[in-house]
Amino acid sequence: MTILERIFADGSHSSSFTVPTKLTDVESYIDIVLESVTVSCTAAKKESSQDITGRIGPSKTVFDVQSNVGSFVVAKDHLGISSQSNFSTIRANTCVYGGRWHYELMLGSKGVMQLGWTTLDGQFSQEKGVGDTPDSYAYDGNRIRKWNVSTHTYGEVRKVI
C-alpha cells in the first residue's frame, strides 16, 4: 500500500473535509491527514509509560502474543518463547521510530532462526517471516546470512552457550 493509498483509505481525517475530487484539493487534504497522524503519534507518545525519544510503548518490552504466526509456548512473563511449528513469527510490543536501537536475545537452541526488525506493515505467514518481506530485515546466525526479501552472506557462526 502506498502512502497516498494509506492517507486516502485511513478515514481518520477531519470530518469537515472530504476526500478531494479535484487535484487542487489534494495538498490541503494531505496536510489535514498528516496533521491528524502527528496528533495521534503525539498522543501515543504521551500514553507511553516511558518518555524516550524514538520509542513508543510500555517501559518493559515483551513478546506481543496477539501478533504471532505459528504455534508458540510463551512464558508467563512474555519474555521467553519456544516455537512449536516449523516457521513461526512473533513481534514485540514496542515501536522504535528514530535514533539507534538494539536488542539482545539469549538463544536456547540451535537451528534456523531469522531474528530482526519489521514495521507494522510486515505481513507474515507460515511461508514468510521476518526478513522475507520488504518491510523487514533479519539475520540468521545458523546460516550466516542477512535477509531483506533476498539474502546475502553476513557475519560469523553464532555460538550457543
Side-chain angles (χ1 to χ4, degrees), residues 131-137 148-149:
D132 297 323
T133 67
D135 298 305
S136 65
Y137 299 86
N148 176 241
V149 181

Side-chain angles (χ1 to χ4, degrees), residues 20-110:
T21 56
K22 299 178 186 171
L23 190 57
T24 56
D25 298 334
V26 172
E27 186 175 350
S28 297
Y29 178 79
I30 290 173
D31 287 342
I32 289 170
V33 171
L34 290 177
E35 177 63 28
S36 71
V37 169
T38 302
V39 168
S40 296
C41 286
T42 302
K45 280 192 240 179
K46 286 180 182 175
E47 288 176 13
S48 174
S49 59
Q50 211 174 29
D51 186 22
I52 298 175
T53 302
R55 180 186 189 279
I56 298 173
S59 59
K60 183 178 181 181
T61 300
V62 297
F63 290 110
D64 177 10
V65 296
Q66 304 300 316
S67 71
N68 71 305
V69 173
S71 177
F72 292 95
V73 173
V74 180
K76 287 182 183 180
D77 63 4
H78 289 217
L79 292 175
I81 59 170
S82 176
S83 175
Q84 303 297 303
S85 54
N86 289 338
F87 206 78
S88 302
T89 300
I90 192 166
R91 298 177 205 261
N93 66 343
T94 302
C95 167
V96 293
Y97 59 89
R100 294 181 182 163
W101 295 90
H102 77 274
Y103 61 91
E104 297 178 17
L105 302 167
M106 183 170 27
L107 305 176
S109 64
K110 295 180 183 180

